[in-house]
């Protein structure tokens, strides 16, 4: 659907009367403050997007904002414009871009934009009236420097786009010429029309620092260098001789008003697009009762204000929100709203303590919205039970001495929480390894899976609701099972993965040997792999120091910490050196936790009568003492039974299985353990003091 372009007067509301009334109506928070002062003011600053160097990087070229209520966009203390209820508005930096093409055909511009979407050169599509015609302008960017933009222009030129004859991708920059300031929108539009009629790019601008008597400006051009700006000035003077242009002070903050035509590349939809101009631009979308939706964040809606600024050459989007309202979303994002009230209270106090302990960890903000801090997904995560729990514990934090505890937590500790030495090597006296029997709450309703050996030698897993025992057993005492329905899939791991094919099928009447019964892989227990030597070596690259072997023939946990977590692993007898033990999770293809055993798929270990061990591979054989005397058993296909009566099959694979428990680093509070304790009748204070050592709960 094509939408008619609205007039400026339809989109920009800046009269003195409106400014006072609208700001009072929609801005519910005080002007934003620095991260160091936010907590003191009862608010918290959350990074949605920003490039903070080595500390954090999550960037986006633009953001699209929308609300069920109108909201203001301005400097915080002085709104510059109003975004009407339900209307979309976009914002991006006035930075180095590549102007890809200009055409009167929307489909031509949109088709080129579609081709660029999957590349690193992200498209932005605008529309403008020039020479009396509607024109579409396709850009890519923003780029951190002119050099980066030039490199981008070279890439775009080779991207196979259909670009109108006589045009080439060129670098556009942040150098502009000003046609002056104006006391009325009509006066500004008159100047704007003259330059556009002459075929020049020109835009209405809302400077942040101008007085209410001259609230408008008109800027011409987007040069990348002083030489380009001089050429532009000469051309503009010749085209519109009756007006004088002066160079815009590059440090001055302003909103350049453009019209976006790229909200959808399937059919033309337009919206205002505001470029944040200046060396340190900072603008604020004032919060309201309905919250502000950020399309690029999966259309999540957030309470509080949105600060839009520039950081390290990228657009920074920071949500400043009341601390307690932030917790409404955090607690709802971390645990289920259906959990016992005491579990929700424990999560609220831990989350509040963690947030308050962060200080200015992220320089311009206190926290980020991911698990690097705490999951924060906005209003959609809230629920009445969550709000009740947060309000019931308002202001309560964990303290050790006079300091608020950085109350870290993880999803499931697998039955025992971690000791600091098993995670990052630090954590202080507040963290010790403690039992977490409540973690089994995660598997109360989980299905069990049978580990089966089929008659053709294939082994895998089938879910309990598709299997029944026959009542017969093997000579070794292992149960036989059969299928309850036709063509039961035998899975490589005890979980359903739609993208992974089964390893075989079992039908009613066909018998399979039950090797073991396990829970479905989840947060409490899990199985990963088997990973080949090549897969493990690829994952280990960059995560371990020293030289890696050309092939991993043997992989063993050789040292464990107080909770049983792996703190040392050897490959071919050599220690794999990691910065800290918890890094083994990412080093081995993203394991859920470090509470794991490593099982070689193609071999098994034999303990001799003399106490010596030997590894038997799939291509070798071993002497076995059976009921009929000593026999020789082959490697591949051999069923091996451990002391716990669980059995497995030695396969022809040279890979390694990781069998473990828990999900996350395991330090501090276990969220599933909290649920288990709450369900057993413990209150939130008892729960917190179980998981955090020598702490007090105080109201700040």
């Amino acid at each position: 659907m094509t939408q008619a372009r609205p007039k400026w007067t339809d989109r920009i509301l800046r009269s003195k009367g409106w400014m006072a009334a609208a700001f009072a109506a929609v801005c519910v928070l005080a002007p934003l403050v620095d991260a160091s002062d936010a907590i003191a003011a009862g608010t918290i600053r959350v990074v949605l997007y920003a490039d903070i160097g080595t500390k954090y990087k999550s960037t986006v070229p633009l953001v699209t904002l929308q609300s069920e209520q109108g909201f203001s966009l301005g400097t915080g203390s002085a709104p510059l414009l109003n975004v009407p209820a339900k209307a979309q508005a976009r914002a991006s930096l006035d930075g180095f871009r590549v102007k890809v093409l200009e055409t009167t055909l929307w489909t031509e511009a949109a088709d080129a934009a579609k081709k660029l979407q999957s590349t690193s050169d992200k498209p932005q599509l605008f529309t403008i009236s020039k020479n009396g015609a509607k024109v579409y302008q396709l850009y890519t960017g923003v780029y951190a420097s002119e050099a980066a933009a030039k490199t981008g222009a070279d890439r775009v030129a080779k991207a196979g786009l259909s670009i109108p004859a006589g045009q080439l991708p060129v670098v556009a920059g942040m150098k502009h010429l000003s046609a002056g300031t104006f006391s009325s929108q009509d006066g500004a539009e008159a100047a704007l029309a003259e330059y556009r009629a002459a075929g020049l790019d020109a835009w209405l601008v809302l400077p942040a620092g101008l007085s209410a008597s001259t609230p408008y400006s008109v800027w011409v051009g987007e040069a990348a260098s002083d030489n380009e700006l001089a050429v532009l000035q000469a051309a503009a003077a010749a085209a519109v001789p009756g007006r004088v242009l002066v160079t815009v002070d590059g440090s001055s903050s302003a909103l350049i008003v453009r019209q976006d035509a790229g909200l959808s590349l399937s059919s033309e939809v337009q919206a205002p697009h505001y470029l944040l101009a200046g060396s340190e631009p900072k603008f604020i979308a004032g919060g309201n009762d309905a919250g502000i939706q950020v399309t690029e964040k999966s259309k999540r809606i957030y309470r509080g204000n949105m600060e839009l600024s520039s950081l390290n050459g990228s657009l920074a989007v920071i949500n400043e929100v009341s601390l307690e309202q932030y917790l409404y979303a955090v607690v709802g994002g971390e645990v289920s709203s259906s959990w016992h009230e005491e579990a929700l209270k424990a999560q609220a106090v831990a989350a509040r303590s963690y947030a308050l302990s962060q200080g200015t960890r992220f320089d311009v903000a206190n926290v980020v919205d991911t698990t690097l801090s705490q999951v924060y997904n906005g209003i959609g995560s809230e629920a009445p039970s969550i709000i009740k729990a947060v309000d019931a514990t308002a202001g309560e934090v964990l303290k050790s001495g006079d300091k608020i505890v950085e109350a870290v937590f993880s999803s499931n500790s697998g039955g025992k929480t971690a000791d600091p030495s098993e995670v990052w090597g630090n954590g202080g006296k507040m963290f010790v390894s403690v039992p977490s029997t409540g973690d089994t709450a995660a598997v109360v309703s989980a299905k069990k899976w049978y580990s089966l050996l089929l008659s053709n030698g294939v082994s895998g897993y089938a879910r309990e609701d598709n299997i029944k025992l026959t009542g017969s057993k093997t000579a070794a005492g292992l149960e036989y099972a059969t299928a309850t329905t036709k063509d039961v899939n035998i899975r490589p791991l005890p979980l359903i993965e739609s993208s992974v094919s089964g390893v075989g099928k079992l039908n009613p009447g066909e018998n399979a040997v039950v090797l073991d019964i396990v829970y479905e892989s989840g947060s409490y227990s899990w199985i990963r792999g088997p990973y080949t030597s090549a897969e493990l070596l690829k994952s280990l690259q960059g995560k371990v120091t020293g030289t890696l072997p050309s092939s991993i023939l043997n992989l063993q946990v050789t040292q464990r910490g107080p909770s049983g977590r792996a703190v040392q692993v050897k490959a071919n007898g050599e220690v794999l050196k990691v910065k800290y033990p918890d890094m083994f999770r990412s080093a081995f293809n993203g394991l859920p936790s470090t509470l794991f055993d490593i099982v070689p798929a193609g071999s098994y270990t034999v303990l001799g009568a003399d106490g010596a061990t030997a590894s038997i591979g799939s291509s070798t054989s071993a002497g076995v003492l059976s009921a009929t005397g000593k026999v020789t058993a082959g490697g591949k296909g051999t069923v091996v039974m451990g002391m716990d009566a669980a059995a497995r099959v030695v396969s022809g694979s040279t890979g390694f299985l990781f069998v473990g428990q828990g999900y996350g680093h395991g330090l501090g509070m276990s969220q599933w353990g909290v649920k288990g304790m709450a369900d057993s009748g413990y209150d939130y204070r008892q729960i917190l003091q179980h998981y955090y050592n020598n702490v007090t709960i105080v109201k700040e």
Side-chain angles (χ1 to χ4, degrees), residues 631-692:
V631 297
T632 300
K636 181 180 178 181
T638 300
V639 177
V640 182
M641 183 180 292
M643 294 179 63
D644 58 358
R648 69 180 182 89
V649 176
V650 179
S651 72
S653 169
T654 57
F656 299 89
L657 282 164
F658 291 79
V659 181
Q661 290 181 246
Y663 197 98
H665 52 69
L667 192 65
M669 189 177 76
S670 171
Q671 292 169 313
W672 277 103
V674 167
K675 182 185 188 304
M677 290 186 70
D679 289 345
S680 297
Y682 291 90
D683 69 31
Y684 77 100
R685 291 176 174 270
Q686 293 171 311
I687 293 170
L688 290 168
Q689 289 178 327
H690 170 75
Y691 283 108
Y692 300 104

Side-chain angles (χ1 to χ4, degrees), residues 86-220:
K86 300 184 179 181
Q88 290 181 302
R90 280 188 157 178
S92 64
L93 294 183
D94 178 33
F96 289 107
R97 283 179 165 82
V98 172
K99 191 173 186 180
V100 180
L101 61 83
E102 188 169 287
T103 176
T104 58
L105 301 174
W106 182 83
T107 54
E108 185 175 34
D111 287 345
K114 289 176 186 176
K115 291 181 180 179
L116 290 169
Q117 277 185 316
S118 60
T119 72
S120 59
D121 300 289
K122 299 305 178 184
Q124 293 188 31
L125 183 57
F126 299 97
T127 183
I128 190 173
S129 177
K130 291 170 65 175
N131 291 321
K134 188 177 184 179
V135 174
Y136 298 95
Q137 299 174 324
L138 178 62
Y139 293 76
T140 60
V142 175
Y143 300 92
S145 65
E146 183 179 4
K150 287 180 178 178
T151 302
D154 292 338
R155 285 194 301 267
V156 170
K158 300 173 184 176
L161 307 179
S162 178
I163 298 178
Q167 295 185 33
L168 288 173
V170 295
V171 175
M174 304 91 73
K175 294 182 179 291
H176 310 283
L177 298 170
S178 173
T181 58
F182 302 87
S183 60
S184 70
Q185 189 168 317
D186 289 342
E189 287 183 347
L192 189 67
E194 289 185 49
Y195 287 104
R196 288 185 174 179
L200 297 174
D201 288 332
W203 306 279
L204 188 72
V205 175
L206 308 178
L210 289 189
S211 66
S213 60
T214 55
Y216 304 97
S217 185
V218 171
W219 289 2
V220 178

Side-chain angles (χ1 to χ4, degrees), residues 14-75:
R14 295 196 72 211
S15 71
K16 293 180 182 178
W18 174 84
M19 287 174 66
F23 190 62
V26 303
C27 189
V28 297
L29 293 182
L32 294 184
V33 295
D34 292 337
S36 58
D37 298 325
I39 295 296
T43 60
I44 188 167
R45 289 170 61 83
V46 189
V47 173
L48 302 186
Y49 293 108
D51 179 356
I52 316 178
T54 58
K55 292 185 177 181
Y56 186 75
K57 184 174 182 178
S58 176
T59 59
V60 68
L62 58 84
V63 289
T64 310
L65 307 180
Q66 188 176 15
S67 177
E68 289 296 306
Q69 297 179 11
F71 63 92
S72 63
L73 183 62
T75 59

Side-chain angles (χ1 to χ4, degrees), residues 291-449:
I292 297 176
Q293 174 185 287
V294 181
T295 299
E296 290 68 27
K297 279 290 181 181
S298 302
K299 296 186 176 181
R300 293 176 184 136
I301 301 172
Y302 300 88
R303 295 178 183 267
N305 294 334
M306 290 291 172
E307 178 185 284
L308 310 175
S309 64
S310 173
L311 188 62
N312 292 326
S314 294
L315 178 66
V317 182
I318 296 172
N319 178 208
E320 184 161 343
V321 60
S322 155
L323 174 62
E324 298 300 307
Q325 291 179 340
Y326 163 76
L327 294 173
Y328 295 164
V330 165
V331 176
E334 289 284 353
V335 297
S336 171
S337 61
S338 65
W339 283 12
H340 194 287
E341 182 180 2
E342 296 303 309
L344 301 181
K345 288 179 181 178
Q347 182 67 58
V349 175
R352 185 182 293 110
S353 302
Y354 180 88
L356 289 171
S357 71
Q358 296 306 289
T360 56
R361 179 181 175 185
F362 295 98
D363 300 340
V364 295
N366 309 108
V367 294
V368 299
D369 67 338
T370 70
T371 54
L372 185 60
S373 294
Q374 303 181 111
V375 175
Y376 174 62
N377 292 333
I379 290 175
S381 296
E382 297 179 8
S385 60
I386 301 286
I387 294 173
K388 180 181 177 182
V390 172
D391 290 348
T393 62
E396 291 186 14
V397 294
L398 295 167
K399 275 195 167 183
S400 178
D402 61 350
K403 292 185 177 180
I404 296 176
V405 174
E406 186 179 18
V408 295
F409 48 84
S410 62
S411 175
N412 195 307
S413 68
K416 196 170 186 180
T417 66
D419 184 84
S421 63
E422 300 171 301
V423 186
W424 304 300
N426 57 53
K429 62 183 181 180
M430 295 80 69
F431 301 98
V432 294
S433 179
V434 298
S436 185
T437 56
D439 287 329
T440 56
V443 292
V444 167
S445 60
K447 296 290 186 182
K448 290 184 179 179
W449 288 66

Side-chain angles (χ1 to χ4, degrees), residues 221-311:
E222 47 187 356
S225 67
D226 290 336
N227 288 338
E228 290 179 11
L229 194 66
V231 171
L232 172 64
Q233 187 156 26
V240 187
R243 293 188 180 273
V244 177
L245 294 175
V246 297
T247 301
V248 172
D249 181 355
S251 65
S252 300
S253 293
L255 292 175
I256 303 174
V257 183
R258 300 192 66 163
Q259 190 72 359
D260 196 296
L263 270 77
S264 169
L265 296 180
S266 299
S267 59
E268 185 179 351
V269 180
Q270 296 185 18
H273 190 132
Y274 304 104
L275 302 190
L276 281 57
S279 56
E280 295 183 356
K282 184 180 293 186
F283 294 91
I284 296 159
N288 57 44
D289 292 339
I292 297 176
Q293 174 185 287
V294 181
T295 299
E296 290 68 27
K297 279 290 181 181
S298 302
K299 296 186 176 181
R300 293 176 184 136
I301 301 172
Y302 300 88
R303 295 178 183 267
N305 294 334
M306 290 291 172
E307 178 185 284
L308 310 175
S309 64
S310 173
L311 188 62

Side-chain angles (χ1 to χ4, degrees), residues 507-529:
N507 283 291
E510 298 174 350
N511 285 344
V513 178
V514 178
L515 303 175
D516 198 6
I517 302 176
V518 300
Y519 284 114
E520 183 167 288
S521 281
S523 65
Y524 179 68
S525 62
W526 46 268
I527 301 174
R528 295 289 188 273

Side-chain angles (χ1 to χ4, degrees), residues 473-489:
K473 295 184 179 181
T474 68
L478 297 176
E479 299 268 10
Y480 279 112
T482 190
T484 58
T485 186
K486 185 180 178 182
D487 289 336
V488 171
N489 271 319

